Amino acid sequence: MFLKTFWNCLRTKMTAGKLDYSNKIILAPMVRVGTLPTRLLALEMGADIVYTEELIDLKLVKCVRSVNEALGTIDYVDPSDGTVSFRTCSLEKPQLVLQMGTCDAERALAVGKKIQQDISGLDINMGCPKEFSIKGGMGVALLAQPDKACHILKTLVDNLDIPVTCKIRILPNLEDTIELVKRLAGTGIAAIGIHARTRDERPQHSPHPDVIREVVKHIDIPVICNGGSRDIEKYEDILKFRDLCGASSIMVARAAQMNVSIFRKEGLLPMDELICKYLKLSVDYDNPPHNTKYGIQSVMREQQETPRGKLFLKSQTMQQMCDIWNMGDYCRQKELEHHKKGAFGRRKVIPGQVPDSDILETVAKKAKLENGNNENDDDSDIIEENIAFLRCNYDMKNDKFPKTLLYVHANKNEILQPVYDTEGKDKLFRSICKFDGKRYRSTFWSKNKKQAEQAAALVCLKNIGLVTEEELIRNGSILR
């Protein structure tokens, strides 16, 4: 007893000022759910700690850290296409844990050292049963390789300045589960999350809180139980499942995905109020529209079958979604504000903008010029505008794409068809549309050749009067 007390006191001194996982209610890591707006809303609703969605080490290791002064965030940007792989802000840092998918200790450490200044804890996913994780040797696959799992954790614990944890699933045999957890705890991790189901069990299967209750008896670090969402409908139910497991803390996944105000002691918020809060945060922090839409779908559930729900399902842009909840003006004003402040985004990505990573070489494609165009051509006569082709604005069944509109216009007026010269650099593309004796180009670099040509066609359509500037501003192709 004395020895156990001594080690507990020593651990308390060593972790002073660091994230404490004891007696906490936590937002669990969930793919496509645990982005910045959801995490901030969970904290507002009463969560003590929030986890990111699982982020893969191979993705993070090549990202470049960028201070986004326009949004007040720290962005980890993929240099190949300018997309943000991970976004955070100072409001959440004291309670933020990043969950990483990895199967390699050195790569995990490289990521850990890169991001530890912006998070308060790093968790290694050892419980995901999805095929993607297993094939990559990550997630639950690590439970079959305890030596590798322990090596990864020990490497991180010994070399990082922030607490390291892992999240696992129980094994079919109780004794095996206890033995595994004891080995993992022995690496020096600060806590361990345990999902109360096995690798092959799914949400429709009943959890096994009795297994976690036994495991708790054999280790002296906080155990964070997980897997009780099927019986969690209100705040009090969170505490019931935690107590049933005998765990120090609990993390909530699906129940929080459906209504993040489950963390609110005063009770659940009405659906519309919750969605408006989520939308505001999504606009404030420039969350991708497709991700925001997924989050709202999780909240609406059967309400998606109502007339308003069906209108929502047709929406593609943040503006369209906000209009449904009478937040359209706020969305327009905020997006314009971000643009004027110089928010870094896809519109400003250009080849060679981000320096090569010393961890992962940048794959750069040699410029490929088609139809005889070359870098020595005189560009002074090109009509340029920063107009983006946004695929979400076009319905394959009902709308004609810019290139099609221009093609039909040329036929109708007996003008030679447009010709497109496209260049590709560093996985980015830009095209010149030659039409009726003039050349048009968007300054926006696209992710592929087809989108680059569509953007060039849009510039042409605007300048010959077939598409109005007001229409392009309204659908987000132009920011004014």
Side-chain angles (χ1 to χ4, degrees):
M1 178 62 70
F2 170 78
L3 187 59
K4 185 173 182 179
T5 302
F6 170 77
W7 281 113
N8 284 338
C9 291
L10 181 60
R11 180 178 289 110
T12 299
K13 291 181 181 179
M14 292 174 63
T15 59
K18 295 185 177 181
L19 186 62
D20 181 8
Y21 292 85
S22 300
N23 303 311
K24 298 296 189 295
I25 297 178
I26 301 167
L27 175 71
M30 291 178 283
V31 174
R32 298 177 67 188
V33 177
T35 52
L36 181 56
T38 299
R39 300 195 303 265
L40 289 175
L41 191 52
L43 290 172
E44 180 185 338
M45 294 296 106
D48 298 308
I49 296 173
V50 290
Y51 278 54
T52 70
E53 60 181 329
E54 179 191 22
L55 299 170
I56 307 302
D57 59 355
L58 283 168
K59 183 79 170 177
L60 289 172
V61 77
K62 67 177 180 178
C63 285
V64 176
R65 183 181 187 271
S66 173
V67 178
N68 191 329
E69 294 181 356
L71 299 180
T73 61
I74 299 297
D75 298 344
Y76 283 81
V77 182
D78 185 335
S80 66
D81 62 8
T83 55
V84 177
S85 298
F86 169 52
R87 170 168 287 162
T88 183
C89 68
S90 59
L91 290 174
E92 67 169 352
K93 183 187 174 182
Q95 293 87 32
L96 177 63
V97 176
L98 184 143
Q99 187 184 68
M100 179 165 58
T102 187
C103 64
D104 183 271
E106 291 185 5
R107 193 163 59 235
L109 180 58
V111 174
K113 287 184 175 180
K114 174 186 286 191
I115 64 175
Q116 66 177 343
Q117 62 186 308
D118 298 313
I119 59 178
S120 289
L122 179 63
D123 182 78
I124 301 303
N125 185 351
M126 298 183 179
C128 179
K130 301 295 184 181
E131 185 178 3
F132 167 79
S133 286
I134 294 175
K135 282 187 174 180
M138 303 178 293
V140 75
L142 286 172
L143 299 186
Q145 303 180 71
D147 289 341
K148 176 184 277 192
C150 288
H151 175 58
I152 292 173
L153 294 176
K154 190 73 166 61
T155 299
L156 296 173
V157 168
D158 289 348
N159 294 282
L160 295 182
D161 299 325
I162 57 175
V164 176
T165 60
C166 67
K167 184 173 182 288
I168 70 169
R169 282 182 170 241
I170 63 173
L171 302 177
N173 180 276
L174 173 60
E175 288 70 26
D176 291 340
T177 303
I178 293 173
E179 184 59 32
L180 173 66
V181 171
K182 287 169 66 176
R183 286 196 62 184
L184 296 174
T187 63
I189 55 176
I192 184 167
I194 305 179
H195 187 106
R197 293 185 181 85
T198 65
R199 164 179 173 161
D200 298 323
E201 292 177 327
R202 295 296 178 266
Q204 64 268 26
H205 296 108
S206 297
H208 306 281
D210 54 309
V211 174
I212 297 180
R213 194 164 56 247
E214 286 300 313
V215 169
V216 169
K217 300 175 183 177
H218 294 82
I219 57 175
D220 57 2
I221 60 173
V223 171
I224 307 166
C225 63
N226 179 225
S229 282
R230 59 181 287 170
D231 297 316
I232 295 177
E233 296 180 354
K234 55 185 181 299
Y235 178 83
E236 289 75 17
D237 295 333
I238 298 176
L239 305 181
K240 287 180 182 178
F241 187 74
R242 181 200 63 186
D243 294 343
L244 193 61
C245 294
S248 170
S249 298
I250 179 171
M251 56 173 53
V252 185
R254 286 180 300 111
Q257 179 179 352
M258 292 185 288
N259 193 325
V260 74
S261 66
I262 195 75
F263 296 113
R264 191 170 178 267
K265 294 180 180 179
E266 298 81 4
L268 298 176
L269 290 179
M271 182 188 74
D272 286 337
E273 183 177 349
L274 188 69
I275 289 175
C276 286
K277 284 179 174 290
Y278 176 69
L279 271 174
K280 183 179 183 301
L281 287 168
S282 295
V283 171
D284 289 349
Y285 290 99
D286 196 24
N287 199 50
H290 67 274
N291 181 261
T292 299
K293 185 174 183 179
Y294 181 80
I296 295 175
Q297 284 181 282
S298 300
V299 176
M300 291 190 76
R301 289 177 287 170
E302 66 276 1
Q303 290 296 312
Q304 294 177 77
E305 298 302 317
T306 64
R308 183 176 63 165
K310 291 178 180 179
L311 178 63
F312 164 72
L313 290 177
K314 291 181 180 179
S315 66
Q316 295 293 326
T317 66
M318 194 70 74
Q319 184 66 60
Q320 291 169 343
M321 286 183 275
C322 285
D323 283 338
I324 296 173
W325 278 274
N326 299 316
M327 294 179 63
D329 288 342
Y330 180 80
C331 180
R332 278 184 286 272
Q333 292 170 6
K334 205 68 180 178
E335 287 185 345
L336 182 58
E337 177 186 322
H338 291 163
H339 181 59
K340 288 180 177 179
K341 286 182 177 180
F344 182 87
R346 281 288 298 123
R347 289 178 186 275
K348 296 187 177 182
V349 175
I350 60 175
Q353 182 177 33
V354 182
D356 291 351
S357 168
D358 57 357
I359 300 173
L360 191 72
E361 290 186 7
T362 299
V363 178
K365 291 185 178 179
K366 188 176 181 180
K368 180 181 179 183
L369 305 180
E370 302 178 353
N371 298 321
N373 191 29
N374 61 69
E375 293 184 356
N376 295 320
D377 283 349
D378 182 10
D379 289 351
S380 61
D381 67 326
I382 296 178
I383 300 170
E384 282 191 325
E385 294 194 50
N386 190 247
I387 298 178
F389 169 74
L390 305 178
R391 175 63 181 82
C392 61
N393 285 329
Y394 299 88
D395 186 335
M396 286 290 291
K397 295 180 180 179
N398 304 316
D399 293 331
K400 291 183 178 179
F401 286 74
K403 286 180 65 177
T404 305
L405 286 174
L406 192 55
Y407 176 86
V408 171
H409 172 75
N411 276 346
K412 184 178 179 180
N413 293 276
E414 299 182 350
I415 304 173
L416 288 177
Q417 289 297 325
V419 175
Y420 297 90
D421 293 344
T422 304
E423 60 176 325
K425 297 180 181 179
D426 298 346
K427 296 184 179 180
L428 297 171
F429 297 85
R430 189 171 62 169
S431 184
I432 295 174
C433 173
K434 297 179 180 180
F435 182 70
D436 198 19
K438 295 183 179 181
R439 298 197 294 169
Y440 305 87
R441 179 170 66 189
S442 172
T443 59
F444 180 92
W445 286 80
S446 300
K447 293 183 180 181
N448 59 57
K449 178 177 179 290
K450 291 182 178 179
Q451 290 185 4
E453 292 177 351
Q454 296 286 5
L458 263 182
V459 176
C460 179
L461 289 170
K462 174 183 177 293
N463 280 273
I464 64 176
L466 292 183
V467 177
T468 67
E469 181 172 302
E470 289 72 22
E471 180 182 350
L472 294 173
I473 291 174
R474 189 165 57 250
N475 67 24
S477 296
I478 292 178
L479 287 181
R480 287 283 191 272

